[in-house]
Amino acid sequence: MGSKDDYNAESIKVLEGLEGVRKRPAMYIGSTGKEGLHHLIYEVVDNAVDEALAGECDTIKVTLNKDGSVTVEDNGRGIPVDMHPVYKKPAMEIIVTKLHAGGKFDNKAYAVSGGLHGVGISVVAALSKKMTVRVKKNGKVYEQSYNIGTPMHPMKSSEVCGVEERGTTVTFYPDDTIFSTTKFEFSTLLNRFREIAFLNAGIKIIFKDETQGKKEEFHYEGGLVEFVKWVNRAKEPLHKPVYFKRQLDGITMEVSIQYNEGYQENIFGFVNTINTVEGGTHVAGFRTALTRVINDYVKKKGLLKSDSLMGEDTREGLTAIISIKIPHPQFEGQTKTKLGNSEVKGLVDSAVTSALAEYFEENPAIAKRVCEKSLDAAKARLAAKKAKELVRRKNAFSLGGLPGKLADCASKKFEDTELYLVEGESAGGSAKQSRNKNNQAILPLKGKILNIEKANVSKALSSEEIANMITVIGAGVGEHFDIEKLRYNKIIIMTDADVDGEHIKTLLLTFFFRFVPKLIENGNIYVALPPLFRIRRGQKDQYVYTEEELKKAVDKAGQGATVTRFKGLGEMSSEQLWETTMDPETRKIKKIYIEDAIEADQTFSMLMGDDVQARKEFIQENAKTASLDI
Ligand code: 1YM
């Protein structure tokens, strides 16, 4: 293999060292499938990232070449090339051909970037048909190529370059006798490089795929702050990201958090830039600290008197990145992506506790918003628990059957099914007559479900009407919600356009928002928009939805029109109800988005709150406008 005799002799020794890698590649790179293949690139890139973290380089280029090889290039100091005093070989050769090159060259105290297995470039060389390492430094280009880890020739330095030029370029051809596939996936690499760029602020990564003519560049001066913003890019953030960095006992901890209007918890942990999908002690420490700081704050500010917020309450709508750099990580778990170092939990806990408490003191407006979000979550949790108990109790008594007043539909085709929640027994009766029995179900709700002005949320939930509704919808509430069990595709709220109707609509939307927000996010909730007036000209009927529309319509037609005002749904004949509110061809329905529900929730809170004057004004205002469009 070597081009010279003495290299042949050396090659045998080298092969002995790297033979283990070729015999049991999975031990070193995880697998010989797609993941392992991609791992080769990450190992080389990690070396370049370490050089960047040492403050010696700022740009890393990765290229998928047309001939199936991969090139990784950095503008750092260049892998050392000086003679090793004992081996009498250039450092480059020792680094590439010896597993965990030790001694003089193993002084990478700051090398904490990635590498799930952290095995280094020699493993990549051993698993490549060919690898070439080129180093530019001191105005010279040093180069050596290797075949499955053994040098093909002594390191040469025949070329020259500008003295200011420096860096390392590694090109390798994965060995197709080892890997089940040698095809790299652009998107997998792209995501990983984006992540690396987020986690190492300031590094520029230029990624090119020459086989497809694609190029992407990642460079984030803001690091984790930009990472959090990126994760929340399609969400509505509640505040600007919180960020802090602390160093304790040789461990660097960086955290950025930002809450959004949603309910999902998104905590991403990284250890030495590895995504610890299974969590571990760093994430545990963060959670403990978050729960403590928020609890302390709400208690101190008198926002919560008894009870405590639970951890889950403080994580609703939370996006957080916890990135730690640690010299000797211990990875555990099924996929070795769980941090095991027990000392880390306490360190992260105390760092986050002090940094976040300080941040809250300095940014009371943000602290308030975050605490309100957690308090809302706690309220919802308690009410959902009540509702669940109620449904359980109810099921125990009613043998789990559907309520008798439900007029169910026949269709088994989920997409077509609709449930009308109808205000009032009489409108419910008309709706039952008008509906298309095949796909439209009707559940009448008592005219006034409850006196909203006096009841609170959990009381609202203990109403039999609401319990019936939960049973009929079928998907449960709160943490027991299961969308797979949903019985209807569209759930349509149909109430009168008066104050009571508005109240019931507000209550129902608040219910959906707090206990089954997924139904809203999933686009299952609608409100029906029944017309307010009928204008009859001879045999022809026109339905209008607002007073303004009526005015316009009557001005244009002029004389000879009879106008009927519908006071409530119950006043319509079943034909009219079908035509105006239930026939998919002619009806008007409005899909409810989370913003609509939030508005309802706020209105509801206001109606329930202590501000009697505000409530009075709202009701008076609504009494006037209830006849207008909603
Ligand atoms: C495209 C891959 O490997 N770059 C790279 C590697 C090293 C250095 C610079 C480097 C490190 C140090 C001193 C040091 C490596 N050095 C070693 C060893 N890019 C790529 N760039 N001088 C240069 O850490 O002290 C191994 S890799 F062993 F010398 F430390």
Side-chain angles (χ1 to χ4, degrees):
M1 260 159 249
S3 60
K4 288 194 170 165
D5 283 354
D6 53 346
Y7 263 85
N8 275 337
E10 251 330 290
S11 302
I12 294 164
K13 268 197 225 154
V14 166
L15 200 58
E16 277 166 3
L18 290 180
E19 209 166 25
V21 178
R22 292 183 60 82
K23 266 199 187 137
R24 280 176 290 279
M27 250 186 70
Y28 296 88
I29 50 157
S31 80
T32 53
K34 237 190 172 96
E35 286 216 20
L37 178 78
H38 287 71
H39 200 85
L40 297 181
I41 300 188
Y42 304 149
E43 281 296 339
V44 182
V45 168
D46 284 341
N47 268 351
V49 170
D50 280 341
E51 186 65 357
L53 291 179
E56 297 284 351
C57 88
D58 60 13
T59 304
I60 301 169
K61 284 187 204 163
V62 184
T63 309
L64 302 181
N65 301 308
K66 282 193 176 135
D67 65 0
S69 66
V70 183
T71 299
V72 184
E73 186 182 348
D74 69 42
N75 59 351
R77 286 168 293 180
I79 292 180
V81 293
D82 47 336
M83 275 293 166
H84 191 284
V86 176
Y87 290 109
K88 306 256 187 301
K89 291 272 172 60
M92 175 197 283
E93 182 173 328
I94 293 163
I95 289 164
V96 180
T97 60
K98 296 236 183 309
L99 211 47
H100 304 290
K104 185 187 166 192
F105 305 111
D106 200 17
N107 62 348
K108 302 178 75 192
Y110 300 101
V112 286
S113 90
L116 181 54
H117 305 268
V119 286
I121 199 170
S122 60
V123 167
V124 182
L127 301 176
S128 295
K129 280 187 293 190
K130 186 182 173 189
M131 174 190 266
T132 300
V133 180
R134 267 167 80 87
V135 165
K136 286 184 195 168
K137 58 163 96 192
N138 314 325
K140 279 189 181 163
V141 183
Y142 302 86
E143 186 178 304
Q144 190 170 33
S145 293
Y146 313 82
N147 166 278
I148 56 171
T150 61
M152 294 164 76
H153 56 79
M155 184 183 80
K156 53 189 180 192
S157 58
S158 39
E159 284 178 58
V160 290
C161 63
V163 278
E164 74 292 344
E165 283 185 70
R166 55 177 224 165
T168 307
T169 307
V170 173
T171 299
F172 64 93
Y173 296 75
D175 188 342
D176 57 6
T177 66
I178 298 271
F179 292 98
S180 57
T181 171
T182 51
K183 200 171 158 8
F184 289 102
E185 203 152 302
F186 185 78
S187 63
T188 303
L189 293 167
L190 191 78
N191 288 328
R192 177 61 188 151
F193 297 149
R194 183 190 295 114
E195 201 169 83
I196 292 175
F198 276 131
L199 293 167
N200 299 284
I203 297 187
K204 183 192 278 184
I205 301 182
I206 302 168
F207 177 36
K208 273 195 219 165
D209 183 350
E210 299 281 12
T211 67
Q212 301 184 70
K214 291 192 204 169
K215 184 181 166 189
E216 292 280 345
E217 209 174 293
F218 300 112
H219 178 205
Y220 305 103
E221 283 300 340
L224 289 203
V225 168
E226 290 193 58
F227 198 166
V228 158
K229 280 192 195 161
W230 185 80
V231 175
N232 273 342
R233 67 198 179 284
K235 312 226 159 94
E236 280 180 72
L238 280 185
H239 55 87
K240 63 182 195 299
V242 178
Y243 170 83
F244 44 85
K245 182 175 182 172
R246 290 285 187 281
Q247 261 164 318
L248 264 179
D249 290 1
I251 299 179
T252 308
M253 293 162 267
E254 259 187 294
V255 175
S256 186
I257 63 181
Q258 186 182 44
Y259 284 85
N260 61 60
E261 296 277 8
Y263 304 92
Q264 243 186 310
E265 166 186 338
N266 270 319
I267 300 182
F268 299 100
F270 294 89
V271 175
N272 299 349
T273 81
I274 297 158
N275 188 347
T276 44
V277 179
E278 297 172 278
T281 49
H282 56 323
V283 174
F286 168 79
R287 287 174 178 224
T288 307
L290 184 75
T291 310
R292 178 187 306 117
V293 173
I294 295 182
N295 263 305
D296 286 354
Y297 194 87
V298 292
K299 285 188 183 145
K300 200 167 116 190
K301 300 283 166 191
L303 299 166
L304 184 75
K305 274 141 204 132
S306 57
D307 260 343
S308 283
L309 294 169
M310 290 191 37
E312 63 190 74
D313 302 331
T314 66
R315 297 193 297 267
E316 254 191 37
L318 169 72
T319 296
I321 317 276
I322 300 129
S323 171
I324 73 163
K325 303 226 168 107
I326 168 172
H328 303 290
Q330 289 155 22
F331 291 108
E332 302 172 347
Q334 282 245 300
T335 53
K336 292 263 175 278
T337 58
K338 182 175 179 184
L339 185 71
N341 302 54
S342 55
E343 72 281 10
V344 169
K345 183 169 187 282
L347 287 175
V348 174
D349 181 349
S350 69
V352 173
T353 299
S354 71
L356 194 59
E358 195 178 299
Y359 189 91
F360 276 7
E361 284 310 321
E362 287 166 8
N363 300 273
I366 292 180
K368 186 160 174 263
R369 235 169 284 166
V370 168
C371 290
E372 274 166 3
K373 173 111 190 163
S374 301
L375 290 166
D376 277 352
K379 260 189 229 158
R381 171 173 53 79
L382 292 171
K385 196 169 149 221
K386 244 191 182 152
K388 196 181 85 194
E389 281 163 7
L390 193 92
V391 173
R392 282 225 181 112
R393 204 164 54 236
K394 201 181 149 53
N395 284 348
F397 287 116
S398 68
L399 302 169
L402 292 165
K405 52 188 196 155
L406 169 76
D408 213 349
C409 60
S411 179
K412 293 278 174 287
K413 215 172 143 206
F414 178 77
E415 287 73 38
D416 297 345
T417 55
E418 300 178 346
L419 171 67
Y420 272 83
L421 301 172
V422 185
E423 174 194 1
E425 302 288 345
S426 89
S430 296
K432 281 182 189 177
Q433 282 181 9
S434 337
R435 70 183 178 135
N436 176 347
K437 281 194 175 65
N438 182 49
N439 71 319
Q440 294 180 320
I442 310 293
L443 180 67
L445 301 172
K446 273 201 198 106
K448 195 137 188 166
I449 298 179
L450 75 168
N451 185 349
I452 291 183
E453 287 160 61
K454 290 195 192 118
N456 59 26
V457 187
S458 38
K459 196 155 164 210
L461 279 165
S462 54
S463 110
E464 187 181 336
E465 299 296 300
I466 298 259
N468 273 342
M469 195 173 70
I470 295 168
T471 311
V472 170
I473 292 173
V477 289
E479 62 190 296
H480 303 279
F481 177 80
D482 179 1
I483 198 133
E484 295 296 317
K485 297 208 176 118
L486 181 63
R487 299 183 64 244
Y488 307 92
N489 187 23
K490 285 196 177 87
I491 297 165
I492 304 168
I493 301 169
M494 187 158 82
T495 60
D496 287 336
D498 58 11
V499 181
D500 283 353
E502 279 301 309
H503 276 184
I504 289 168
K505 197 159 57 194
T506 303
L507 171 73
L508 290 175
L509 290 181
T510 302
F511 163 77
F512 287 123
F513 172 68
R514 292 197 190 172
F515 303 107
V516 282
K518 286 247 163 61
L519 285 182
I520 301 172
E521 284 167 14
N522 206 39
N524 301 105
I525 309 291
Y526 295 79
V527 293
L529 302 175
L532 278 181
F533 302 98
R534 183 190 63 200
I535 307 166
R536 174 164 282 178
R537 295 179 189 84
Q539 303 283 35
K540 266 192 157 176
D541 284 345
Q542 184 195 355
Y543 296 99
V544 297
Y545 296 81
T546 62
E547 308 239 10
E548 283 137 42
E549 244 183 276
L550 174 73
K551 201 164 174 291
K552 266 192 211 148
V554 175
D555 283 350
K556 234 197 260 168
Q559 307 247 308
T562 343
V563 176
T564 310
R565 182 193 175 103
F566 297 115
K567 289 217 186 72
L569 296 164
E571 285 186 359
M572 290 189 200
S573 70
S574 54
E575 289 79 21
Q576 280 169 344
L577 193 61
W578 168 252
E579 194 184 336
T580 62
T581 323
M582 297 184 75
D583 179 358
E585 299 289 323
T586 49
R587 72 182 176 193
K588 273 196 184 186
I589 60 174
K590 175 176 181 285
K591 189 187 270 193
I592 293 299
Y593 292 93
I594 205 79
E595 298 78 36
D596 304 305
I598 289 170
E599 202 180 317
D601 183 68
Q602 282 164 355
T603 305
F604 184 83
S605 302
M606 197 267 291
L607 287 172
M608 309 294 295
D610 299 326
D611 192 340
V612 180
Q613 189 54 32
R615 186 159 63 229
K616 244 187 203 155
E617 279 168 19
F618 173 84
I619 292 166
Q620 280 166 359
E621 196 54 32
N622 254 268
K624 272 187 251 144
T625 56
S627 55
L628 299 177
D629 204 3
I630 59 158

